[in-house]
Amino acid sequence: MLGHLKQALSASIGKKAWMAVSGLLLVGFLVTHLAGNLLYFADDDGSIFNAYAEALSSNPLLPIAELILATLFLAHIALGVRVSMENRAAREVPYHAKAAHGGRTTASRSMMITGLIVLIFLIIHILDFRLDPKAHDDMAGAVQAKLSSGRGALTYGVGVAALGLHLSHAIASAFHTLGLNHPKYDSILQTAGRGLAVVIALGFLAFPIYIYFSGGAA
Amino acid sequence: MKLTLQIWRQPSAEADGNFEIYTVGGVSEDMSFLEMIDQLNRQIVLDGGEPVAFDHDCREGICGMCSMVINGEVHGPIKGTTTCQLHMRSFKDGAKIVIEPFRAKAFPVVKDLAVDRSAFDAIITAGGFITSRTGSAPDGNAILVPKEDADQAMDAAACIGCGGCVAACPNAAAMLFTAAKVTHLGSLPQGQPERRARALSMVQEMDSQGFGNCTNERECEAACPKEISVMTIAQMNRDYLRASIAGDEA
Ligand code: HEM
Ligand code: FES
């Protein structure tokens, strides 16, 4: 059984399958995170949003959820780095003349870069809100203070844009990796994957854009 | 036509290589790319030099030997063709053409443009077969095959094992080749007994040969001279994961 698990983690398709599963679960988290955040836009001086934030941080199950999330991230990142390093090693001598054959996209060729930007952004984001005790007194106010500054808005804009680009390749790719694709629905899968990436990216981008340009009065 | 060629020269597997520049004249646009190199080699030999080594055999697009990367494109600029099927009319008179060997750790250069693709043989040996009864020839139509399955198997079987997918893949992965074989045999009733073990053992062999991991960039499909679809890769992933989850033995 253990040998079996080890094999699944060393085999190419095994590693990719774990990346796909962890990535898709993270996408599931993003969707719920976005849905909760959108309460910020309720026309009530941020009280629903603050109540939501308060309910989350006082939930006794939160540490378990956070542990699961952290594990998913670490697994995804560790496998991503390993896969990329192995892939680099698989071609020792690069081509002198470089040309694409028509399969790659900007998103697909920059998965490692967008992933790393997301990681840096994530650390900043956790420091800003999760680990800042002051933020928890008035979460809506903290969000407004952070994103109404040019620097804050730009940081969040770039982080979320990188996430959007990462996901625009990642979602369909993950299904393909798990074997869940077929000529009959490949084009639907590609469109749906990009569509969900755009929805997630635009949803999160709404915060820095709206708050920066309105000065934050929700 | 007159052309300037920048070609990778490497005397042996162990030796260091470098690019050499050649000019070749008197090229007809009806020549194939390989005939153009024949012409260059004739010129080199007459000048007392060592001809450029390159792999070729059938020269009609069915054997898969003619490996080379032309201006960064596997088998050159025309979709769905091998190098031997590429004609010089696809290039402009006076063009400068960079010619390199396939680059992958699992495909070491033997000499100049010729690379060793025995890693593919190892993958085939690991599972590219079916078991069948010996003795008298079976009745032709004893096993019925649904049309859709036959088509899918036939499309996958078009793979000529050239290695262009590996050469084009940003990760030097061998997924399209392996998937074509797994899909070809796994789509037919005759290939069912070994179906799951085949996916496991061929993928294990592929990994141990030092190919990269697939990131679904689809460069392989775009470069494949036989236009094998990456949907075969989804099929192989499915077979592999199913076998893996069930704890099958390779
Ligand atoms: C935090 C740093 C991150 C890094 C370093 C990273 C890195 C990578 C890399 C290198 C790939 C492989 C490219 C490929 O297989 O096509 C990948 C794929 C993927 N990533 Fe990320 N990523 C990160 C964050 C995320 C996040 C936050 C999500 C989702 C919310 C995500 C979801 C996915 C998915 C679904 C795939 C597709 C897996 C597959 O193709 O099999 N990643 N990631
Ligand atoms: S020489 Fe046989 S396919 Fe080109």
Side-chain angles (χ1 to χ4, degrees), chain A residues 4 7 11-13 16 86-87 89-91 95-97 101-104 108 169 173 176-177 179 181 186 190, chain B residues 72 74 79 100 103 105 166-167 169 171 204 207 213-219 222 230-231 234 237-238 240 244:
Chain A
H4 191 58
Q7 154 71 14
S12 54
I13 299 176
K16 284 308 306 284
E86 286 171 354
N87 289 351
R91 176 165 291 126
Y95 288 110
H96 176 75
H101 294 80
R104 320 185 75 172
S108 80
H169 173 72
S173 171
H176 196 86
T177 298
N181 201 1
D186 180 46
Q190 300 297 329
Chain B
V74 172
K79 288 247 165 286
E100 301 171 79
R103 294 291 190 193
K105 189 171 146 224
V166 175
C169 176
N171 314 315
Q204 267 171 32
D207 289 349
N213 305 286
C214 177
T215 54
N216 298 320
E217 300 219 45
R218 303 193 175 195
E219 284 287 288
V230 292
M231 292 307 128
N237 290 342
R238 203 150 60 231
Y240 177 88
S244 209

Side-chain angles (χ1 to χ4, degrees), chain A residues 177-193:
Chain A
T177 298
L178 295 172
L180 303 172
N181 201 1
H182 189 276
K184 281 180 191 146
Y185 52 78
D186 180 46
S187 66
I188 300 173
L189 177 64
Q190 300 297 329
T191 312

Side-chain angles (χ1 to χ4, degrees), chain B residues 25-37 39 84 86-89:
Chain B
V27 174
S28 143
E29 54 182 28
D30 295 330
M31 280 181 177
S32 77
F33 201 83
L34 300 188
E35 285 165 336
M36 185 276 292
I37 300 183
Q39 168 120 340
C84 57
L86 176 67
H87 288 92
M88 294 317 295
R89 54 179 159 274

